[in-house]
Amino acid sequence: MRKALIKRPETAVDVYNLLPEGVLCQVINNVIYMSPAPSFEHRDIITELSMQIRLFVSERILGKCVVSPVDVYLDKHNVFQPDIIYIAHKDAMAEVKNGKVYGAPELVIEVLSPGNADDDRVRKKKIYEKHGVKEFFIVAPNTIDVTSYYHNGKKFEQKPVQKAKIVSKMLKKTFKF
């Protein structure tokens, strides 16, 4: 009897792709990071913002807004599950294939969790910047402070922190929560 050859995983993304659906983890710089379910406050902010953005973009047929968990493959060493993403219909940088997103969404919102705040503020921010995410927002749920980053074509420019609002220059709209 002939044995089937099984390809060994070579990268963290290869291992990630073997996991069952629903596992809360991401791959950042070829390392798998697992996390517990988000807090109630975290989910509440995500729900409120995603409802507003989704309604706005769908009424204007601008694209799609979805919430996590959805796999966003940025490159062979980075698969993120951002809290909220927006992908434009026109000139989109990302493509949806087989239920997964390949490439950078135009807009990303990450709501901080106590155990992985540095992942969002430092590691993931650098990778989003490298891949050209046009707008990146980080929300601190305990203070409702929003840190905004806008890509200028080369790098992110940080704007002053605002309370409880996402100002999207690309969508020309402010979303309050």
Side-chain angles (χ1 to χ4, degrees), residues 22-25 34-43 46 68-69 81 83 111-116:
V23 174
L24 293 175
C25 67
M34 297 185 80
S35 62
S39 69
F40 177 87
E41 294 79 10
H42 184 119
R43 295 300 307 167
I46 292 169
S68 113
Q81 292 184 347
D83 290 314
V111 179
L112 298 176
S113 294
N116 63 0

Side-chain angles (χ1 to χ4, degrees), residues 105-134:
E106 277 71 25
L107 180 149
V108 172
I109 300 171
E110 295 279 12
V111 179
L112 298 176
S113 294
N116 63 0
D118 283 346
D119 290 342
D120 293 337
R121 285 189 179 123
V122 181
R123 294 183 219 23
K124 290 171 72 175
K125 177 186 158 275
K126 285 180 184 176
I127 296 163
Y128 286 140
E129 181 178 53
K130 174 185 169 189
H131 288 278
V133 168
K134 293 177 182 173

Side-chain angles (χ1 to χ4, degrees), residues 7-25:
K7 184 180 182 244
R8 285 184 180 208
E10 295 177 11
T11 67
V13 171
D14 292 341
V15 173
Y16 179 87
N17 288 330
L18 296 172
L19 296 172
E21 187 174 318
V23 174
L24 293 175
C25 67

Side-chain angles (χ1 to χ4, degrees), residues 19-31:
L19 296 172
E21 187 174 318
V23 174
L24 293 175
C25 67
Q26 304 179 87
V27 181
I28 304 171
N29 291 323
N30 208 36
V31 175

